[in-house]
Amino acid sequence: FNISRVMIINDNLSAIDQVLGSAGVRVSDWEDAQAFASLTSASGAGPTLLTANTAVFHSRHGNLAASGAAISVASIGVGRASMMKQKTLDGNAANFNPVTLLTGPDKATEAEQLLTAITPAQQSNAVPESIRRLTTVSDANISGNAWYLFADPAIAPTCLYAYLEGYEGPRLASEERFGVQGLAVKLEHDFGVAAIDYRGAYRNPGA
């Protein structure tokens, strides 16, 4: 983008410095948007895996709820059971356990309330310790009621992100062009994200 000489002279509030200084935050937000755009693509089914020629979240994989349900002990229990029943490539039971409960803003409070440690009046209303240990994460790039469970990415990664070797960070450059009163500013960043497996993730359309 171009910054004219008039803009530079009239910038009494150092707005230009603020914009250029926030480049790192903006790049981080952009990376976040790219990752969630991939995860929630195809109406929530996620990107197509090259190895299976099927979307990440699919009934064939056993990691997609048959119908939407609110976040509860029962619905999380169904998702947890589905993840534990996944098979490794050599056919063994994976026994993956979820560690992260991911939601959008509309379900963030509901998720936090479920995981809040309280002493219920009835034992049937108790939230098991295995569920209370989940970490809740919310992101505005997820819309609606859908929620997700993810296993430890060190054990069962679902997505990977990468930078171009030698260009791991954003690059901000400016140039004063002869015959032009002002600056030309350029921001470059090389970033990629892709899904690599389905076994460590579970999706419920929510309710």
Side-chain angles (χ1 to χ4, degrees):
F1 57 95
N2 294 317
I3 302 175
S4 69
R5 181 170 181 267
V6 173
M7 293 171 61
I8 296 174
I9 293 174
N10 292 331
D11 187 21
N12 296 326
L13 299 178
S14 300
I16 294 175
D17 287 341
Q18 292 178 33
V19 170
L20 299 181
S22 65
V25 176
R26 297 300 302 139
V27 167
S28 178
D29 290 342
W30 177 80
E31 289 180 352
D32 190 57
Q34 299 303 307
F36 282 107
S38 175
L39 182 69
T40 61
S41 60
S43 300
T48 298
L49 292 167
L50 297 180
T51 52
N53 197 30
T54 309
V56 172
F57 302 103
H58 197 281
S59 57
R60 187 188 307 170
H61 295 156
N63 67 347
L64 177 64
S67 59
I71 300 172
S72 67
V73 171
S75 61
I76 290 180
V78 172
R80 179 189 180 196
S82 298
M83 294 178 67
M84 292 182 69
K85 293 175 183 176
Q86 291 288 352
K87 299 291 186 180
T88 61
L89 290 175
D90 51 2
N92 294 321
N95 281 311
F96 293 141
N97 273 296
V99 298
T100 302
L101 172 59
L102 172 66
T103 73
D106 296 331
K107 290 296 177 178
T109 301
E110 183 177 315
E112 291 171 352
Q113 285 177 330
L114 178 68
L115 304 186
T116 299
I118 59 173
T119 303
Q122 298 181 7
Q123 186 175 359
S124 59
N125 294 330
V127 178
E129 182 64 26
S130 59
I131 292 181
R132 289 212 306 267
R133 285 199 301 263
L134 290 172
T135 299
T136 59
V137 177
S138 302
D139 195 283
N141 288 291
I142 298 176
S143 60
N145 298 326
W147 52 272
Y148 303 78
L149 295 174
F150 288 95
D152 185 341
I155 298 174
T158 300
C159 297
L160 285 180
Y161 68 91
Y163 302 105
L164 186 63
E165 186 175 1
Y167 299 93
E168 287 78 10
R171 304 177 300 283
L172 188 64
S174 62
E175 178 185 36
E176 294 186 30
R177 296 176 179 173
F178 183 78
V180 177
Q181 292 185 321
L183 294 172
V185 181
K186 178 177 65 174
L187 176 65
E188 293 181 339
H189 185 52
D190 298 292
F191 172 80
V193 62
I196 60 170
D197 200 5
Y198 63 87
R199 295 172 179 84
Y202 175 86
R203 180 180 187 270
N204 189 302

